[in-house]
Amino acid sequence: MSDTAPPTLPAGGGIDLSADAYPSDSRYANDDLRPVPLAERRWTTYNFVALWIGMAHCIPSWTLASGLVALGMDWKQAVLTIALANVIVLLPMLLTGHAGPKYGIPFPVLARASFGLRGANLPALIRAAVACCWFGIQTWIGGQGVFVLLGKVFGGWADVSKVGGYPWTLWLCFVLFWVLELAIIYRGMDTLRRFENWAAPFVLVGAVVLLVWIANKAGGFGTLLDEPSQVGWGADFWKIFFPGLMGMIGFWSTLSLNIPDFTRFGKGQRAQVWGQTLGLPTTMTLFALMSVLVTSGSEKVYGAAIWDPVALAGKTDNVFGLLFALITVFVATISVNIAANVVSPAYDLANLAPKLINFRTGALITGVIGVLVMPWKLTSTPELYIFTWLGVVGGLLGTVAGILIADYWIIRRTVLHLADLYLPNGRYWYSGGWNWNAVIAFAVGGVLAVGGSYSTVDAKGAKQGPFPVDGLIPFLKPLADYGWAVGLGSSLILYVALTKARGARV
């Protein structure tokens, strides 16, 4: 138990921190990492709903169902899997998001309570590395979308000299995307809030327009809705369902860690709880269903299922339609990328060296790394994308989430001593700035979650992925398909056990 009484909450349920609560020159604080003052916590339920609509309505989200269908599911099984995954991931999202409106702190500062002031850099940098890769993926996909659609508007757009194997016009679209994303986030979180407010309904209208357009051309939907499952509901289905489910959870497991980066601006718990509940599972499920319906219509019209919304939009010869699709892809990709993949690493990198890196500098570093890693190859096959990339990432991030939830909800019962999160030698300093209970729980949970990672074999006997077919650690292979759940559960239990056994001060 804590040795001091819990702080008294104001009427709004949030806790403020006076400017002199800790030294202004603390090496563990800057203007971006300090708690958001109560007066500046003004995000409403609509702001959080709009945030999720803006993030969920992107090209990778649209093609999630296609990856599952390509692996043998029918459309009902694919939509069910996606819906269930997002209901499951919503729970840790709400649990970790609680600290945002209450204390006004971002994810890396919250992690200091469990990992220590220095140790928090471990989960923060893991989250930042994942976000940088995602930033590269989304920016490249968005640039490709603009390139394809502009090629339809301006003939010969792709018939130009190549640089690095790609037309220079594609690189131009990529760079344009990159610059616009960083320009928006560079102006700060309030600009992001305003952008998401109008981007969300615009993108939703764009998806509906695509559905109406293809339905009109098809005179109804094609045969895809009647296509039977290739795996049925027996043993073959479950072999795909569980890794697929973990992969779908892994898609948003990143945000289940750093959601306090957004909820810290919330007016209260009601805003973040209702906003996320109304925004995440409903939007993702509806989007998956729309993608199936649109693809079904494309099969009837063009004789082949077209899962890529950009390729499908490019089928029209109407200039206005092409321009509308171009703007929709632009807005959709930018809205998800800057919210999901720039905000977090900006804070995470600032946490690494608060006196040298602020939020804006962290965003620029993210942009540069996102270009250098060139991670678009991860989406080359559904096996690599769903099982390897999303599965491994989900396993590691689930491990961190388990520790955060255990510490904040079970050990501390949501009571944090806010000033100590910025003070060396305070209650969160532990041993030289590291809480080794959290490090041990992370190491063990991480090995259990991803140690059995394996690659599948295609019909020709070729290995699909970077891991051994028998798994990195063969006896852990049976756990690999449940990586996120294994990581979260094992790290949560171990962290609580170690903390209770050692009688750590809370």
Side-chain angles (χ1 to χ4, degrees), residues 389-431:
W389 168 243
L390 292 180
V392 171
V393 165
L396 289 176
L397 298 183
T399 302
V400 176
I403 295 170
L404 294 184
I405 293 170
D407 183 80
Y408 183 71
W409 284 95
I410 300 175
I411 301 298
R412 305 186 190 283
R413 306 298 175 90
T414 77
V415 176
L416 297 177
H417 298 265
L418 202 49
D420 281 11
L421 292 170
Y422 302 89
L423 290 172
N425 301 316
R427 71 180 61 241
Y428 306 120
W429 187 247
Y430 298 106
S431 177

Side-chain angles (χ1 to χ4, degrees), residues 31-384:
D31 289 340
D32 299 307
L33 296 178
R34 289 187 175 96
V36 175
L38 278 172
E40 297 177 20
R41 300 178 204 175
R42 46 180 179 256
W43 284 37
T44 63
T45 297
Y46 174 77
N47 295 135
F48 287 109
V49 170
L51 176 73
W52 275 113
I53 292 175
M55 288 196 295
H57 287 179
C58 60
I59 297 172
S61 294
W62 183 275
T63 56
L64 282 179
S66 68
L68 294 175
V69 171
L71 294 170
M73 289 187 180
D74 64 18
W75 73 272
K76 296 184 291 295
Q77 293 170 330
V79 172
L80 173 65
T81 303
I82 292 171
L84 181 59
N86 284 282
V87 169
I88 292 173
V89 82
L90 175 66
L91 180 59
M93 201 85 68
L94 296 177
L95 292 176
T96 53
H98 183 278
K102 185 173 182 178
Y103 296 103
I105 53 176
F107 156 64
V109 175
L110 174 61
R112 292 174 181 178
S114 52
F115 281 85
L117 267 70
R118 288 175 173 169
N121 287 315
L122 173 62
L125 290 180
I126 291 173
R127 174 66 183 95
V130 171
C132 289
C133 291
W134 268 120
F135 177 81
I137 290 173
Q138 293 276 16
T139 304
W140 183 257
I141 288 175
Q144 284 180 316
V146 173
F147 171 77
V148 170
L149 294 174
L150 283 178
K152 292 287 293 184
V153 177
F154 305 107
W157 180 255
D159 299 328
V160 296
S161 58
K162 294 186 177 181
V163 177
Y166 296 98
W168 68 264
T169 45
L170 174 55
W171 289 112
L172 177 63
C173 294
F174 176 67
V175 172
L176 177 62
F177 237 91
W178 184 86
V179 170
L180 276 176
E181 288 168 336
L182 294 185
I184 293 172
I185 200 64
Y186 193 78
R187 294 179 62 87
M189 289 295 290
D190 204 47
T191 299
L192 172 62
R193 177 179 62 87
R194 292 194 297 269
F195 178 79
E196 294 290 349
N197 281 350
W198 70 263
F202 183 88
V203 173
L204 184 58
V205 169
V208 172
V209 167
L210 187 60
L211 177 61
V212 172
W213 170 71
I214 195 65
N216 182 63
K217 289 184 70 69
F221 293 106
T223 58
L224 189 65
L225 296 181
D226 297 323
E227 189 71 22
S229 170
Q230 297 178 26
V231 294
W233 290 95
D236 290 339
F237 167 75
W238 298 110
K239 289 178 182 177
I240 296 177
F241 172 77
F242 285 111
L245 182 70
M246 293 300 109
M248 296 305 105
I249 291 173
F251 192 80
W252 288 124
S253 64
T254 51
L255 267 294
S256 69
L257 291 187
N258 74 285
I259 196 65
D261 294 345
F262 301 96
T263 61
R264 68 192 297 230
F265 298 97
K267 293 183 69 172
Q269 296 300 338
R270 182 182 178 86
Q272 75 101 2
V273 169
W274 278 106
Q276 293 202 79
T277 302
L278 294 173
L280 172 58
T282 55
T283 299
M284 286 295 292
T285 303
L286 176 63
F287 212 49
L289 180 59
M290 289 177 65
S291 73
V292 169
L293 292 174
V294 170
T295 305
S296 177
S298 73
E299 185 175 42
K300 185 171 184 179
V301 175
Y302 300 107
I306 303 174
W307 285 97
D308 184 349
V310 174
L312 182 59
K315 292 286 187 179
T316 181
D317 294 322
N318 184 289
V319 174
F320 174 79
L322 285 168
L323 290 176
F324 181 78
L326 175 66
I327 296 172
T328 302
V329 169
F330 220 85
V331 172
T333 307
I334 289 178
S335 66
V336 65
N337 218 12
I338 59 179
N341 303 318
V342 179
V343 172
S344 175
Y347 283 125
D348 297 337
L349 293 169
N351 189 70
L352 183 64
K355 294 306 178 185
L356 298 177
I357 304 173
N358 60 20
F359 180 81
R360 289 178 171 84
T361 306
L364 293 176
I365 294 173
T366 299
V368 172
I369 295 175
V371 173
L372 294 178
V373 297
M374 296 182 295
W376 56 84
K377 295 181 180 179
L378 291 169
T379 59
S380 58
T381 66
E383 291 86 3
L384 186 62

